[in-house]
Amino acid sequence: MYGNNAYNAYKTNSVNFASREQLLLMLVDGAVKFAKIGRQGIEERNITKAHSNLVKTQDIFYELMATLDVSQAGEWGQNLMSIYDFIVRKLTEANIKKDVKIVDEVIPLIEDIRDTWNETYKLSKVVK
């Protein structure tokens, strides 16, 4: 009981005191996690598990899209927005069809995004 409360307190503090960059990394880590759980739900034929986790993944990408300032990021931002949009559309299709192959197509993209943001974060720490 105590361990669970301590973990929840730690998790809450991690989010409350995280930098914007760390929050971004937490989001994309969550996207990878939820996409994989959604895939597992499809395999298990657990519709609720599949749906809720694929929607969580979509919600993360909607948030990333909403916070991406394309006017500041230029062509790079437009390309990133296109990738985010593609992921959301494929997740929607995978959720409707309950198709593991579609999720398998998207998970590597999400992992690449996570890895790219992670590398960017590491480089920004060196520059500062």
Side-chain angles (χ1 to χ4, degrees), residues 38-120:
R39 182 193 187 286
Q40 183 181 33
I42 294 171
E43 283 187 322
E44 296 169 354
R45 299 199 187 294
N46 183 333
I47 302 303
T48 303
K49 179 179 180 178
H51 174 75
S52 66
N53 283 285
L54 292 176
V55 168
K56 286 178 187 178
T57 309
Q58 285 176 278
D59 287 345
I60 289 169
F61 279 95
Y62 282 132
E63 184 63 28
L64 293 172
M65 292 167 81
T67 58
L68 179 59
D69 188 351
V70 178
S71 66
Q72 292 292 324
E75 185 179 338
W76 179 84
Q78 286 286 351
N79 292 338
L80 191 57
M81 183 67 79
S82 295
I83 294 167
Y84 289 172
D85 182 60
F86 175 80
I87 289 169
V88 168
R89 286 185 288 112
K90 292 307 260 185
L91 288 168
T92 301
E93 182 183 356
N95 200 2
I96 291 168
K97 295 179 178 179
K98 299 298 185 259
D99 189 336
V100 170
K101 290 178 187 170
I102 298 171
V103 180
D104 285 345
E105 181 182 340
V106 174
I107 287 175
L109 286 172
I110 298 171
E111 290 173 330
D112 285 348
I113 290 167
R114 179 204 51 207
D115 295 345
T116 299
W117 282 120
N118 194 27
E119 284 302 310
T120 302

Side-chain angles (χ1 to χ4, degrees), residues 17-40:
F17 296 105
S19 67
R20 286 182 4 181
E21 295 85 2
Q22 289 168 324
L23 287 173
L24 176 75
L25 290 174
M26 288 178 196
L27 278 174
V28 290
D29 279 340
V32 171
K33 174 184 151 190
F34 295 133
K36 289 180 177 181
I37 294 171
R39 182 193 187 286
Q40 183 181 33

Side-chain angles (χ1 to χ4, degrees), residues 1-10:
M1 178 76 146
Y2 172 75
N4 195 27
N5 288 338
Y7 173 74
N8 286 334
Y10 168 78

